[in-house]
Amino acid sequence: MRPERVLEQGGRRKKRLRNATIWCKGINPHLFGFSLRALSVLTLHTFRWLMIQVEMRLRHGFHECSESLSLARNRIFVVGRILAVVLLPLLSFTPALADNTLNISDFARVMPLTFSGNGALYELPLPTEVYIWSKRHDVRDLAVFNGQGEIVPFTLLAPATVRTPLPGRDLPLFPLNGPERSRRGDIALQVRTDEHGAIVKLNTVHAPASGDRVSGYIADASALDQSVNGLDLVLRPGSHGYLGTLQVECSDDLQQWRSLASGAIATLSAGDRQLDRERLEFPVVKARYFRLSISPEQGVPRIEAVTARLEPLPVTQKREKLNVIITPVKGRDGEYLARTSGHVPVDRLRLVFPDENSLAQVTFLSRPDDKNPWNERGSGTFYRLHRDTGVLESAPLEIAATADEQWLIRVRQAGGGLGNNLPQLEIGWQPHRLVFAARGEPPFRLAYGSARNGLDSLRDDALVLGLVTWEQQGIKPLPAQAGASQESGGRLALQPGRGYCSGAHYSWGCCCWHGWPGDWRGK
């Protein structure tokens, strides 16, 4: 082999090594540095053997050095094969080793988290952008990092309905004077009410009997707008105390009564000690009147006042909504498609018409992707009507929450359908609650959007079990705020298979394995 040929092959090997380092961009720097140094040593020894053989050829001729040249070539081939077996797998699979530890660059976007006050736990409603960038229906591709780059304990709580207690309302009380209950059939009521149904006068008519007494009471709840789940009584205790049973019935017309609940009442005393039971709870009911009866009648205390216990009003967290453009389905009249951005937990739907005096009866269907069938979610009538005081619009349709991305809208064609000026689909949802522990030093950052595998174990569901106990001990999550979104891993983090041995690295390893030994043979 001529000297020029030897030098030319050496140049090609050097170029191959330089191209190989490009494939290793982004892999573990420690393993890559070690492997690169080892390959550099191999390359230097290769050139050293080659230069020796070139010099021997020039001095002694080709025939005299052919044996030593063959020996050198074989040695180089053996060393190259050993290094290929040991080092190339390290280079090829370095990403899998390096990325076992999740870092913030494995997520597409990040948001800085800020909060005031010093607490152990913090919470915030999940921002809309997190749903848009999420690759998972259950929004599990997120994590909270501290200033040291560590993932802190966190969990996602489903939207919860919080009930706000309401103060009780005193009810107008009307006693029923009559004989003992064994003769209650002889009692008749003479009731006069106003236009709202409130009692303005109540008289009892009964057969003559001795020892007339208060046989019961009627509490007027016609002025209440809320449902009632119990009654609190104010009893006038007798001289000897009392223990009996209170029976409550309800009615909307003072004629048809239905039994609601019964329970014990007591006004007992012993020296300085007092035992009172003046409350009766029952299932939530909306009724205009309540009838109270106490037995036994002997020594029964007088009821001086009745307070209705009102059912707490449900209060939800701040809701979010987003308008989505709809497009007609080709070849299918009355059907329209809409696609949400990301896996938003939609539980409200509404058509928003651009024109007044628009009306349509529609059915909504959804599916997660093209591979799944359509599922019906609900139907309703939507409108936007003009009136003298303004515009009247229909309320949203409530549905079971779903994170499906594709929506099909079927419009009943009677009445002309939707017309040419199409409405938009308004989707509404209640965000999840992100709760995390402020472990470590700030700044804390919320990272989201990733195609990495193994993200299911990041969420610490033990926080859910501990929240109830901690709140009883006065440890409640403090509010946190999310700042402006910033790019982290970008679109690369959303590509499937990132963080593991990709085909490019593996193919490069195989190429090196099959290609380099041949080069050592001079091919």
Side-chain angles (χ1 to χ4, degrees):
M1 184 181 292
R2 294 177 299 176
E4 313 82 70
R5 176 64 174 170
V6 175
L7 294 176
E8 181 181 354
Q9 285 193 352
R12 285 204 302 268
R13 294 189 188 104
K14 190 173 182 181
K15 182 178 180 181
R16 186 184 292 269
L17 180 62
R18 183 171 62 253
N19 292 336
T21 61
I22 298 176
W23 284 99
C24 298
K25 183 179 179 181
I27 66 177
N28 191 308
H30 302 289
L31 289 178
F32 176 73
F34 169 76
S35 303
L36 186 61
R37 286 193 296 272
L39 290 178
S40 300
V41 171
L42 173 63
T43 305
L44 293 176
H45 280 287
T46 301
F47 277 102
R48 180 180 178 184
W49 280 103
L50 291 175
M51 294 301 103
I52 290 176
Q53 301 309 316
V54 170
E55 185 179 0
M56 291 178 63
R57 289 186 180 191
L58 296 176
R59 290 183 179 181
H60 306 288
F62 177 77
H63 296 287
E64 297 181 7
C65 63
S66 59
E67 182 178 356
S68 58
L69 179 61
S70 177
L71 178 63
R73 182 181 62 190
N74 292 336
R75 288 182 178 179
I76 294 173
F77 170 74
V78 172
V79 174
R81 176 74 71 169
I82 294 174
L83 288 178
V85 172
V86 176
L87 298 179
L88 292 184
L90 289 177
L91 285 174
S92 299
F93 295 97
T94 293
L97 299 174
D99 287 345
N100 277 340
T101 301
L102 199 67
N103 56 69
I104 202 166
S105 63
D106 290 309
F107 297 87
R109 311 284 295 181
V110 295
M111 285 183 178
L113 301 178
T114 58
F115 35 82
S116 58
N118 186 15
L121 301 175
Y122 294 88
E123 69 171 342
L124 74 155
L126 206 59
T128 300
E129 186 171 329
V130 177
Y131 292 109
I132 294 177
W133 282 84
S134 176
K135 301 289 289 183
R136 300 277 299 269
H137 268 71
D138 54 4
V139 204
R140 282 188 176 267
D141 53 341
L142 59 82
V144 179
F145 290 83
N146 60 17
Q148 289 76 39
E150 302 171 336
I151 298 178
V152 302
F154 75 94
T155 190
L156 274 184
L157 302 180
T161 300
V162 180
R163 296 188 175 272
T164 302
L166 296 176
R169 290 278 299 275
D170 293 335
L171 302 180
L173 189 63
F174 299 88
L176 300 175
N177 297 317
E180 297 181 358
R181 271 179 202 81
S182 59
R183 302 177 57 188
R184 63 194 301 178
D186 295 334
I187 300 177
L189 297 180
Q190 293 180 347
V191 182
R192 189 170 66 188
T193 62
D194 60 15
E195 65 274 13
H196 303 293
I199 298 176
V200 295
K201 186 176 182 180
L202 185 149
N203 294 325
T204 58
V205 179
H206 54 84
S210 59
D212 286 358
R213 67 190 68 190
V214 176
S215 59
Y217 301 83
I218 289 184
D220 184 6
S222 58
L224 296 182
D225 295 328
Q226 297 85 10
S227 300
V228 178
N229 61 12
L231 298 175
D232 289 328
L233 311 180
V234 177
L235 302 178
R236 181 193 298 173
S239 57
H240 302 290
Y242 183 82
L243 176 62
T245 301
L246 172 67
Q247 182 177 355
V248 178
E249 301 167 283
C250 61
S251 174
D252 289 326
D253 57 7
L254 292 172
Q255 295 181 359
Q256 303 296 325
W257 295 89
R258 65 181 186 274
S259 179
L260 188 58
S262 62
I265 61 170
T267 57
L268 302 175
S269 61
D272 296 335
R273 290 171 295 179
Q274 186 76 22
L275 174 61
D276 295 320
R277 180 177 176 84
E278 302 175 334
R279 172 178 296 176
L280 181 63
E281 298 180 348
F282 44 77
V284 178
V285 65
K286 183 73 167 63
R288 298 172 67 88
Y289 310 105
F290 295 94
R291 183 165 68 182
L292 289 68
S293 305
I294 304 177
S295 61
E297 295 184 353
Q298 186 66 33
V300 61
R302 186 178 181 87
I303 300 178
E304 295 186 336
V306 174
T307 301
R309 297 174 57 85
L310 303 181
E311 175 70 5
L313 294 177
V315 178
T316 58
Q317 300 175 346
K318 179 184 177 182
R319 299 189 58 84
E320 301 289 346
K321 61 182 180 180
L322 186 68
N323 285 3
V324 182
I325 297 175
I326 67 175
T327 57
V329 179
K330 294 183 179 180
R332 307 187 69 174
D333 293 338
E335 292 193 356
Y336 302 84
L337 288 176
R339 183 184 295 273
T340 63
S341 299
H343 302 293
V344 179
V346 179
D347 61 1
R348 299 287 190 277
L349 296 169
R350 187 168 74 98
L351 286 184
V352 181
F353 293 96
D355 300 327
E356 294 182 358
N357 300 326
S358 298
L359 178 70
Q361 185 175 353
V362 303
T363 299
F364 295 104
L365 303 94
S366 71
R367 64 183 182 183
D369 50 47
D370 297 334
K371 301 178 181 179
N372 290 273
W374 293 104
N375 296 310
E376 184 173 338
R377 298 301 179 183
S379 59
T381 301
F382 299 90
Y383 51 84
R384 186 169 187 254
L385 304 176
H386 174 77
R387 61 180 180 178
D388 295 338
T389 57
V391 176
L392 179 64
E393 292 187 287
S394 54
L397 173 68
E398 298 185 11
I399 63 171
T402 176
D404 290 349
E405 291 187 85
Q406 298 183 15
W407 290 87
L408 177 63
I409 306 169
R410 289 178 177 167
V411 182
R412 186 178 178 183
Q413 290 300 92
L418 297 181
N420 295 327
N421 201 2
L422 295 180
Q424 290 186 337
L425 175 62
E426 180 187 273
I427 59 174
W429 71 95
Q430 190 174 346
H432 289 79
R433 294 167 54 204
L434 174 65
V435 180
F436 65 95
R439 183 183 67 190
E441 297 296 326
F444 292 91
R445 289 173 291 178
L446 169 61
Y448 51 93
S450 177
R452 278 277 311 250
N453 296 324
L455 299 178
D456 292 340
S457 60
L458 293 181
R459 191 179 302 180
D460 188 358
D461 293 331
L463 284 176
V464 181
L465 302 177
L467 281 176
V468 177
T469 303
W470 297 332
E471 288 184 358
Q472 294 175 353
Q473 299 174 354
I475 303 177
K476 295 183 179 181
L478 300 179
Q481 297 80 35
S485 174
Q486 304 170 1
E487 182 173 320
S488 180
R491 294 288 180 180
L492 182 62
L494 302 178
Q495 297 178 3
R498 186 177 186 271
Y500 297 90
C501 180
S502 63
H505 291 93
Y506 181 76
S507 300
W508 174 75
C510 295
C511 291
C512 294
W513 166 252
H514 293 294
W516 286 7
D519 289 340
W520 300 135
R521 296 187 178 98
K523 294 182 181 179

